[in-house]
Amino acid sequence: MELNEILNRTADRIVADGTHAESRTLQAMESAARDLSPGAAAALVDWNGSEIARLRAFGIVHGVLLRDLSANAQAELLTQLLGTSALVLAA
């Protein structure tokens, strides 16, 4: 499974269930994007902020992760997200 596919599926789940339902994935995304887009990364996991701010941050971080993150860092994130997905499916 490719990173883009996972992020697109995450977007679909966020539309259906909100950002709180994807908190583990958003935490992983925040960590990966922190150095590239610190403001959007922080807003992505600001649970005291508004949902609309997290949604906007998701769009920004999604693009940053696919466009600006190094191939090695993308592979690490993919591995982490696949592990997170496996845990969610097992629960």
Side-chain angles (χ1 to χ4, degrees), residues 2-8 29 33 36 59-71 74 77 81:
E2 293 184 26
L3 182 59
N4 186 44
E5 185 178 347
I6 289 175
L7 296 179
N8 286 339
M29 292 173 67
L36 297 170
I60 293 167
V61 171
H62 180 263
V64 165
L65 294 176
L66 295 177
R67 184 184 59 244
D68 300 332
L69 197 62
S70 71
Q74 283 183 351
L77 177 58
L81 292 176

Side-chain angles (χ1 to χ4, degrees):
M1 186 174 287
E2 293 184 26
L3 182 59
N4 186 44
E5 185 178 347
I6 289 175
L7 296 179
N8 286 339
R9 287 182 182 187
T10 299
D12 291 339
R13 289 190 301 271
I14 286 173
V15 167
D17 302 318
T19 55
H20 285 281
E22 293 298 315
S23 62
R24 288 183 179 160
T25 299
L26 298 183
Q27 282 293 144
M29 292 173 67
E30 182 275 334
S31 180
R34 188 179 300 143
D35 292 336
L36 297 170
S37 186
L44 188 61
V45 294
D46 180 2
W47 303 113
N48 293 318
S50 68
E51 179 74 357
I52 192 69
R54 284 189 300 278
L55 292 171
R56 179 173 166 83
F58 178 84
I60 293 167
V61 171
H62 180 263
V64 165
L65 294 176
L66 295 177
R67 184 184 59 244
D68 300 332
L69 197 62
S70 71
N72 287 340
Q74 283 183 351
E76 288 176 25
L77 177 58
L78 180 59
T79 299
Q80 186 177 3
L81 292 176
L82 288 173
T84 299
S85 296
L87 290 175
V88 170
L89 291 175

